[in-house]
Amino acid sequence: MALILKGAVKLYYYLNDDIADQRVQNWPLMRTPWPGVALLAIYLLTVLKWIPKYMENRPAFDLRRILFVYNFIQVLLCIYVTYQSLKLGWLNNYSLFCQPLENTPEADEYAWKVCYVYFCIKLTDLFDTLFFVLRKKQNQVSFLHVYHHWGMVAVSWSMVKWLPGGHTSLLVPINSIVHIIMYTYYMLTTWDDAYKKSLWWKKYVTQIQIIQFTLLLIHFTALVLIEDCPFPRVPSYILIPQNLFMVLLFSEFYYRSYIKTPTVKNK
């Protein structure tokens, strides 16, 4: 037992200190995983237990103005991080097929302005679930929704901690572009209830989500197949099943919401 504990402690220090990117070690929430773990635990307890219990005998909050401002800020943040990721990397000198992690002043800027800001956006994304609960829309707090938000915080933190740039960071502009579309849609629906019926692109947001994870799945698979790529392959072994799982979850949601349900209603 003592040997197992000793090995676990050694592994922890290896992951947390030895192979971590030293540029980010003193950035907020990056020194150790525990503050992030605590935030995610509070998130789960808040949206699944504490707030639902608090709202049990209370009317739903009208948060339309707050939601409009929140979605507007999210759109601006996603535009910023997309612009920086393209300017500093993917439209500059980054390769789609094999992009190693660089150690230059430009790479330091990319780590901060792209990867770390993206991680902060994933933290603010968690408010999306809180707003659902406060509006008594608990049915929208599905496993897919919670798992997706929870998982993206973990993935983005890991990216900043170990590999803030390079091949796997393509998920930043792709995911951010999707969220620009998604949060714009949400912003319009909070502006006027009439948009909820007139906006025809609701189901296409889900289609774009599926395309997003499919593209990332291909991108991470390429890293495994290219033998001489100097970028570490370990992240791909984690992100490939993760993105495949997300493709399946979103596809199942799309089938239930836009294929099976209309058919049942017509019958």
Side-chain angles (χ1 to χ4, degrees):
M1 185 64 181
L3 186 62
I4 295 175
L5 290 175
K6 185 177 179 181
V9 171
K10 187 177 181 180
L11 177 62
Y12 170 79
Y13 282 109
Y14 171 74
L15 294 173
N16 192 66
D17 298 325
D18 296 349
I19 66 171
D21 194 298
Q22 297 304 311
R23 294 173 294 181
V24 309
Q25 285 290 70
N26 293 321
W27 294 0
L29 298 177
M30 298 311 304
R31 185 65 186 87
T32 70
W34 305 120
V37 171
L39 284 175
L40 288 176
I42 293 171
Y43 163 71
L44 293 176
L45 289 170
T46 299
V47 301
L48 298 178
K49 184 177 180 181
W50 293 338
I51 300 300
K53 186 176 181 180
Y54 172 80
M55 294 297 298
E56 207 168 41
N57 299 313
R58 289 176 172 82
F61 285 94
D62 184 358
L63 302 176
R64 279 180 289 186
R65 291 184 180 180
I66 295 175
L67 284 171
F68 182 84
V69 174
Y70 168 76
N71 290 319
F72 181 70
I73 292 173
Q74 290 294 90
V75 169
L76 291 181
L77 289 172
C78 289
I79 290 173
Y80 171 82
V81 80
T82 301
Y83 169 75
Q84 292 294 344
S85 65
L86 296 177
K87 172 190 172 185
L88 297 172
W90 295 103
L91 288 183
N92 187 7
N93 62 336
Y94 269 30
S95 169
L96 286 172
F97 301 102
C98 174
Q99 177 55 45
L101 185 66
E102 299 175 337
N103 190 13
T104 63
E106 292 78 12
D108 295 346
E109 191 176 4
Y110 189 96
W112 174 257
K113 291 184 177 180
V114 177
C115 298
Y116 188 76
V117 172
Y118 179 73
F119 165 63
C120 294
I121 293 173
K122 295 303 105 180
L123 288 177
T124 59
D125 280 349
L126 300 180
F127 284 100
D128 192 33
T129 317
L130 177 62
F131 294 143
F132 278 146
V133 182
L134 291 173
R135 294 159 64 208
K136 301 199 81 167
K137 294 182 178 291
Q138 198 69 28
N139 62 306
Q140 297 193 32
V141 186
S142 62
F143 171 78
L144 171 59
H145 175 90
V146 175
Y147 175 79
H148 177 54
H149 281 302
W150 187 94
M152 290 309 296
V153 171
V155 167
S156 58
W157 184 89
S158 301
M159 176 177 63
V160 178
K161 179 72 173 180
W162 290 298
L163 295 165
H167 192 87
T168 54
S169 70
L170 183 64
L171 72 89
V172 175
I174 290 181
N175 184 249
S176 297
I177 289 171
V178 171
H179 279 74
I180 291 170
I181 298 170
M182 185 182 72
Y183 281 116
T184 300
Y185 167 75
Y186 290 155
M187 184 171 62
L188 290 175
T189 59
T190 57
W191 180 264
D192 188 341
D193 287 339
Y195 281 113
K196 292 182 179 180
K197 295 182 180 180
S198 64
L199 284 176
W200 51 269
W201 51 329
K202 182 178 180 181
K203 72 175 183 179
Y204 297 108
V205 172
T206 307
Q207 290 181 358
I208 292 170
Q209 292 272 29
I210 296 171
I211 293 171
Q212 166 197 207
F213 291 113
T214 302
L215 289 175
L216 291 174
L217 180 63
I218 295 170
H219 183 68
F220 298 142
T221 302
L223 182 61
V224 176
L225 297 177
I226 299 174
E227 296 182 358
D228 58 346
C229 185
F231 191 88
R233 295 187 181 186
V234 173
S236 284
Y237 299 142
I238 299 171
L239 292 170
I240 287 173
Q242 161 69 9
N243 278 272
L244 178 59
F245 188 44
M246 295 309 299
V247 169
L248 295 175
L249 285 177
F250 273 93
S251 298
E252 194 266 342
F253 170 78
Y254 184 85
Y255 172 75
R256 284 190 294 105
S257 301
Y258 304 111
I259 298 177
K260 182 179 179 180
T261 301
T263 303
V264 172
K265 286 182 179 179
N266 290 335
K267 287 184 180 180

